[in-house]
């Protein structure tokens, strides 16, 4: 996969607005402040009985992100993730009023666990 994949679970599944804030603030930061050609998608994934979120960031071009940019995207997402709820949501509401702010919604995705992709089978 070209780009950056960030997967995580929340303690409270009802906090979709936190997921939207984290993903969209990170993407817009690199799109606007760093002038990167970046797109992103947000998925709420159901895998067997588990549910988690996956955010995918990738460049507009066919080439992959530079390894340093991959680190920077992950670091920015992590920094925002450590922000307290009120501050994060205030920043999201403030930034999203800007006409250039791009909002991406959450898409539901169901996956099945494939045992053949499990590394255990490499040892058998």
């Amino acid at each position: 996969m070209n780009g950056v994949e960030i997967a995580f679970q929340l303690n409270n599944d009802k906090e979709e607005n936190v997921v939207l804030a984290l993903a969209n603030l990170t993407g817009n930061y690199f799109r606007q402040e760093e002038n990167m050609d970046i797109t992103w998608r947000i998925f709420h994934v159901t895998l067997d009985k588990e549910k988690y979120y996956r955010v995918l960031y990738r460049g507009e071009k066919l080439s992959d992100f530079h390894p340093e940019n991959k680190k920077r995207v992950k670091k920015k997402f992590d920094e925002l993730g450590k922000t307290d709820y009120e501050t994060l949501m205030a920043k999201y509401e403030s930034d999203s009023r800007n006409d250039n702010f791009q909002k991406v919604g959450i898409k539901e995705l169901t996956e099945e666990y494939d045992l053949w992709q499990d590394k255990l089978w490499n040892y058998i």
Side-chain angles (χ1 to χ4, degrees):
M1 178 198 91
N2 290 343
V4 177
E5 176 179 342
I6 300 171
F8 59 98
Q9 289 180 310
L10 295 177
N11 293 336
N12 185 349
D13 243 2
K14 297 177 182 173
E15 296 294 345
E16 285 186 2
N17 51 351
V18 171
V19 176
L20 291 169
L22 291 172
N24 288 321
L25 284 169
T26 301
N28 278 286
Y29 171 81
F30 286 99
R31 195 170 69 80
Q32 294 172 359
E33 303 294 325
E34 302 288 331
N35 293 321
M36 285 176 56
D37 289 331
I38 188 170
T39 59
W40 60 97
R41 300 289 179 266
I42 310 166
F43 299 99
H44 186 224
V45 181
T46 302
L47 176 62
D48 196 23
K49 296 177 184 174
E50 299 293 320
K51 290 185 180 251
Y52 66 96
Y53 290 93
R54 183 185 298 158
V55 183
L56 305 173
Y57 294 97
R58 67 177 190 84
E60 287 284 346
K61 300 177 183 164
L62 292 176
S63 60
D64 197 4
F65 281 147
H66 186 278
E68 189 61 33
N69 285 339
K70 286 183 177 185
K71 287 181 193 174
R72 290 174 58 226
V73 168
K74 290 178 183 179
K75 183 178 178 183
K76 182 67 174 176
F77 191 94
D78 190 46
E79 285 173 4
L80 289 168
K82 292 177 181 174
T83 306
D84 68 87
Y85 179 81
E86 289 79 20
T87 305
L88 178 69
M89 296 314 297
K91 178 165 180 51
Y92 184 56
E93 288 177 28
S94 171
D95 287 8
S96 64
R97 289 187 200 119
N98 183 337
D99 289 339
N100 295 331
F101 193 88
Q102 183 178 340
K103 286 185 178 181
V104 174
I106 299 173
K107 295 182 181 179
E108 292 291 327
L109 181 66
T110 302
E111 293 182 346
E112 292 185 22
Y113 188 69
D114 184 0
L115 289 176
W116 294 108
Q117 290 181 354
D118 193 327
K119 293 184 187 211
L120 169 71
W121 291 104
N122 293 335
Y123 300 106
I124 297 179

